[in-house]
Amino acid sequence: MRYVWLVIWLSVFAGELCAQARIESEYKIAVPSEQADEVWVYLQSAFGKNELKILPEECQTQSATEIFYDTYFDDADKTLLGFEAGARYRERYVGDSLMKKLLQLKVPTLDALGIARTEHKFSPEDKFDIEDRNGLHPFLKYVKRKDVADVDLVLGQFGTSAKKMSDALKLKQIRRRVYVSDAEGALMTFTLDEVSAFHFPYKEFVELELELNEIRYTDADYAEKTAMEKMNAEVKQALFDRFGSLEQDQTPKYNKMHQALAAEPSAWVYNNLMYIILGAICLFALSLLLKKEIRFANT
């Protein structure tokens, strides 16, 4: 029923949202951690050097390793988690150098396979005014005043808002990427992500993303979109033919890591440590009180 409501909302605000949003089309593939290096070597040879001839003959490729820190936000009811949507603040590093900051909102589309999603990007606020209530807010401190209405418009699709957001999860990603471009510019990227929870219990997984360049894909006509999708599907099939252990899994990283942590008993202990310590203190105080009363009764 929630998706019916989402479709109705999207139809009402489609024009305004589409003017700001881009469509990302990507395959998300689960990779066994012990095969990460082998998959990376294959990506560089099969596609970085275009040995399979799937990519355009005149294409150029470039490899890079980057580190991303992603802080995800959600409301108390985990509304975005339930819709497989996302709100995150991202920092991108090359070595020790901070290269870019970004605020992103991810919205599911009507694509039943989950390959296509809508992405809204905002340049985050850098100057936090601690005398302003927004400057002390865990999420709004990253949102420029001129963007608050647009952010709320996107989050409003799910019945929530920017002021309801709080820190939900933080991830670290070591990203090894092959960038592909042709005569017209950026075409696609192949990204091997080693993802880990930033906080205890530090769960990890490896994911491969085969993503069409979102700007080009969004602006493309039907024929070009179809050609780009076909090429990406051929890349995916080549990988599946080479590695039988790969599995397509379109689950967003926020949801995937949340599920992994929820299944970890130590995560529950960590998240409730303050209450456990407080309970232990209360029990200790109660035991002292009972001992004192027993001594008093025996005198």
Side-chain angles (χ1 to χ4, degrees):
M1 188 66 185
R2 66 185 184 186
Y3 289 106
V4 174
W5 183 74
L6 177 59
V7 171
I8 294 173
W9 183 282
L10 280 172
S11 65
V12 174
F13 293 101
E16 194 164 354
L17 288 174
C18 289
Q20 304 172 35
R22 295 170 181 165
I23 304 298
E24 64 173 21
S25 178
E26 66 179 5
Y27 291 109
K28 297 166 69 70
I29 300 170
V31 178
S33 58
E34 63 273 13
Q35 284 193 296
D37 290 337
E38 186 180 357
V39 170
W40 175 242
V41 171
Y42 181 76
L43 286 172
Q44 290 179 294
S45 60
F47 308 112
K49 298 179 181 178
N50 201 17
E51 291 180 355
L52 297 183
K53 306 301 181 185
I54 294 175
L55 306 178
E57 290 186 6
E58 75 281 4
C59 75
Q60 296 181 339
T61 62
Q62 182 179 357
S63 299
T65 299
E66 303 160 338
I67 298 176
F68 286 69
Y69 292 96
D70 292 333
T71 302
Y72 286 84
F73 299 88
D74 212 334
D75 60 22
D77 296 323
K78 294 290 188 290
T79 299
L80 299 183
L81 183 77
F83 279 104
E84 293 195 345
R88 73 185 177 203
Y89 168 70
R90 164 168 286 180
E91 293 182 340
R92 173 188 168 211
Y93 287 81
V94 175
D96 294 329
S97 300
L98 176 60
M99 306 302 293
K100 190 173 183 179
K101 299 177 182 179
L102 192 62
L103 188 65
Q104 298 168 295
L105 304 178
K106 298 289 189 82
V107 178
T109 66
L110 299 181
D111 176 15
L113 299 178
I115 297 170
R117 294 208 297 170
T118 304
E119 181 179 20
H120 302 259
K121 292 184 177 181
F122 301 90
S123 177
E125 179 61 71
D126 287 324
K127 300 177 182 178
F128 307 147
D129 184 359
I130 60 175
E131 296 182 0
D132 181 4
R133 296 179 67 179
N134 285 3
L136 298 174
H137 192 278
F139 180 70
L140 281 171
K141 68 182 181 182
Y142 294 116
V143 184
K144 293 183 178 179
R145 282 186 173 275
K146 68 181 183 63
D147 294 328
V148 172
D150 289 334
V151 170
D152 275 337
L153 184 62
V154 178
L155 295 176
Q157 299 172 67
F158 311 103
T160 190
S161 64
K163 68 179 181 180
K164 295 181 180 179
M165 296 290 109
S166 61
D167 296 37
L169 184 66
K170 186 172 182 177
L171 302 181
K172 176 183 177 181
Q173 299 182 75
I174 300 176
R175 314 195 87 178
R176 290 182 278 183
R177 270 181 164 176
V178 175
Y179 293 88
V180 183
S181 59
D182 61 11
E184 296 183 28
L187 180 62
M188 61 202 311
T189 56
F190 309 133
T191 305
L192 188 66
D193 285 331
E194 296 178 57
V195 186
S196 59
F198 190 78
H199 300 293
F200 182 83
Y202 310 112
K203 296 291 289 185
E204 301 176 342
F205 60 81
V206 179
E207 180 176 284
L208 174 61
E209 294 181 353
L210 311 177
E211 183 178 4
L212 300 174
N213 181 266
E214 60 195 37
I215 298 176
R216 186 159 169 182
Y217 183 77
T218 301
D219 295 339
D221 58 21
Y222 176 78
E224 186 178 3
K225 273 188 171 70
T226 302
M228 293 175 72
E229 291 168 355
K230 180 176 181 294
M231 183 168 52
N232 211 18
E234 290 176 354
V235 171
K236 183 193 75 168
Q237 190 57 52
L239 281 158
F240 275 51
D241 291 342
R242 174 64 177 80
F243 300 97
S245 57
L246 302 184
E247 295 183 3
Q248 184 173 344
D249 183 359
Q250 296 298 135
T251 307
K253 288 187 177 73
Y254 172 37
N255 292 69
K256 189 179 296 186
M257 185 59 78
H258 185 276
Q259 292 168 9
L261 292 174
E264 186 70 37
S266 57
W268 183 90
V269 174
Y270 178 80
N271 291 331
N272 294 276
L273 186 60
M274 181 179 66
Y275 301 104
I276 294 173
I277 294 174
L278 182 60
I281 292 173
C282 291
L283 288 174
F284 179 70
L286 181 61
S287 65
L288 291 178
L289 180 62
L290 290 175
K291 288 180 180 179
K292 184 176 181 180
E293 290 184 351
I294 292 173
R295 287 200 304 269
F296 181 77
N298 293 331
T299 57

